[in-house]
Amino acid sequence: MSGNCPATGAPTRNQRLSDGMREMLDGYLSIDQYGLIGNLHTAAMVGMDGSIDFMCWPEFDSPSVFCRLLDKDKGGHFAITPAHASTTSKQQYLPFSNVLSTKFLCEDGVGVVTDFMHRPRPHSRSHRHMMPWLVRGVEVIRGEMTFDLECFPAFDYARTTHTLDLNRVEDAERARPQWHADDAQNSIFQSVFLHWDQAEQNTESYNGTERAVFTPAVVQHSEGLGNTSNAADREAQTAVHAMDLRYVVGCMGGGAGDGACPLVRLTAADHGGKLGQGVTSRFTLCEGQRVFFVLRTVPDVGVAALRAGGGGSNDVAAYLAKYDPALSMKYVETLLEDTLLYWLGWIRSCTYFGRWLENVERSALILKLLTYEPTGAVVAAVTFSLPEAIGDAGRNWDYRFTWVRDSAFTMYAFMRLGLNKEAKKYMEFVGRLCREKNPDGGLQIMYTLRGGREMAELELRHLSGYRNCAPVRIGNGAADHLQLDIYGELLDAVYLYNKFSQPLSYDEWVNIRALVDYVCTNYNQPDMGIWEVRGQRQNFTYSKVQCWVAIDRGLRLVDKRDFPCHDKERWRQTRDALYEEIMNRAWNSDLEMFTQSYESTDTLDAAVLAMPLVFFCAGTDPRFVKTMRRIMLPPHHGGLTANNLVFRYNAVHTDDGLNGEEGTFSLCTFWLAEALSRASTADITLLYKAQVIIDEMIMYGNHVGLFSEEIDKSGKHLGNFPQAFTHIALISAAFNVDRALKSNKHRP
């Protein structure tokens, strides 16, 4: 599109690019129109229109500050978008990083918004600690462009009011920092930001003359997250702190305006959510000009915590020197360079060089973003209550916790890519969970990011939900479910960790041995299954298979490591008896398929595609091949596949305790591709089919390679986003299909 980019006067509804992009969905963007940034403590979703519509702060499971994604009117947002509608937008990650670049283009100018959360540079001498800031850089690289900024926080899931103070920043006169020779020669900006010539010496900048301080009211809630006996969880899940927005403005000499810096001012404005005022700004940038906006928790919060803990004046001074440095253009650019180098250094450790390399690396980078650095736990997704079906099906859940299943699969994915440090960190987390088992000797299916057990589910009835798809839930009522499959997934990951990463210690073995004993005692119980149904417990086939895996991997560890095991014969007998039981009770000889459960003898479930993936049976086993081929049939012919996309089960004909339909499950589609590669040793055409499915699935990823949990009939993303499970399955399928293609001399 073309148009006159510069805009003057007060912004109007029909002028803005953002309004045009949201018009088709009544004020919302599609779920797949977002990129993700983060710092391994929390994350934010940035729309293609330049708006941050979701961010919990300061931790993944802390209350949201922006959640327009779940209520367009009350949720809150932080938008930087072109003032004129006749502008196109493009979004990408900077190479090998999780730094997000949103570019706006029209005839008269090209502008870029660069979003990131700081990560310290490896082995840095000056920035060894993380600055917990959200940083948004705005610049024009050709011509001229006018931007509108709107920052309207809605603290505590939009439940808490706040006040706004626009404080004048003292000593905000212009400064002229000089680039040093080593900066010009070594800076990564030379290769990434080619339009910023670091050889230029007459850089001019000034700090913003206003500082917007948002101070939320102190409110305590008697229900939901934060009402827990775990002190660390309580602190994180009730963290509602004052935040401030600052900015620094700069330009390079030789650009438009002869190096003069543009004028940027923040103005108080009312917000439709009526929770408190926000700030707006309209500013015009020319080529060579840029602004950095920094949103953070005000330092007073940290100072108060120090003093409450007995810290003295020296401790306070050290804290302020560390976390409240003077804001300058050079300092913020250094943080950006640190972050780029951190991600580049991390992904360089990846040892995978097969097909779909770019997609595998992006999935690895996203999985790293979903990792909670203090404990090594992996969050299932950064969002909560994005619907699995548009309408009133009620399939909206909070995924900001760590599932044993998801984390075990993530550990497997990292090990396959040679990223063993992450696997080691998670093993430490598992060791802690094993030392604090349930009274019956088992594990919960999910934990908080700090290993807590309490995550009470609560509906936020004041939020309308994404596209009016209520309810909006925080917490997760499935935490106390019995899902026996988690033991197989965990033991398989531990077995591979011992094989590919680091030998198990004796103490680790004692914990693992106790889990295998638990499985041998409890494998015959009905459970809620991998899909966490909210109907009746059943003897799910997938759960039984994973119980077999748990015992089998325990026996393999005994054989390979000669670990002591007094119940080895009992384990072996239980494993073999369970195998026979599955083959007898989960097989429907009339329909020639493995069924969803012992009770649902005519119901198909895509979870059984994992059978050859965990070496329960060969991919060429006739029973499995017949089941797989039935799954590949369309739903109206009794299958689960439509347009090469796989449903996890038929939601209409299956009692899962919920209403309505849902989309195809991306995890299951990748599982089908991997299963086809395992079966291809008997039929080479199946390997070609596997390759086609992966190629098509990658096509369904969004513009920056992110996947949600599900895909609907029109190809739109559904469910929480981005979802770890899907990216794990992509890595596994790519790795194994690529290996099958390389090992087969007659490639399709």
Side-chain angles (χ1 to χ4, degrees), residues 71-127:
D71 192 307
K72 64 178 181 178
D73 298 316
K74 297 188 290 289
H77 63 279
F78 184 4
I80 302 176
T81 192
H84 201 279
S86 298
T87 308
T88 58
S89 66
K90 306 289 182 182
Q91 195 174 67
Q92 66 175 12
Y93 284 105
L94 296 184
F96 310 109
S97 81
N98 282 314
V99 175
L100 193 65
S101 173
T102 307
K103 184 172 288 188
F104 302 105
L105 308 94
C106 70
E107 281 191 357
D108 295 322
V110 175
V112 179
V113 175
T114 302
D115 290 297
F116 70 97
M117 293 184 187
H118 176 243
R119 289 295 305 165
R121 181 193 314 202
H123 313 299
S124 172
R125 290 175 294 177
S126 57
H127 293 91

Side-chain angles (χ1 to χ4, degrees), residues 578-587 594 598 616-617 621 623:
L578 179 54
Y579 194 98
E580 296 279 7
E581 178 184 297
I582 294 169
M583 286 300 186
N584 290 327
R585 299 187 63 186
W587 174 252
F594 286 109
Y598 295 171
F616 175 81
C617 66
D621 185 289
R623 288 191 177 192

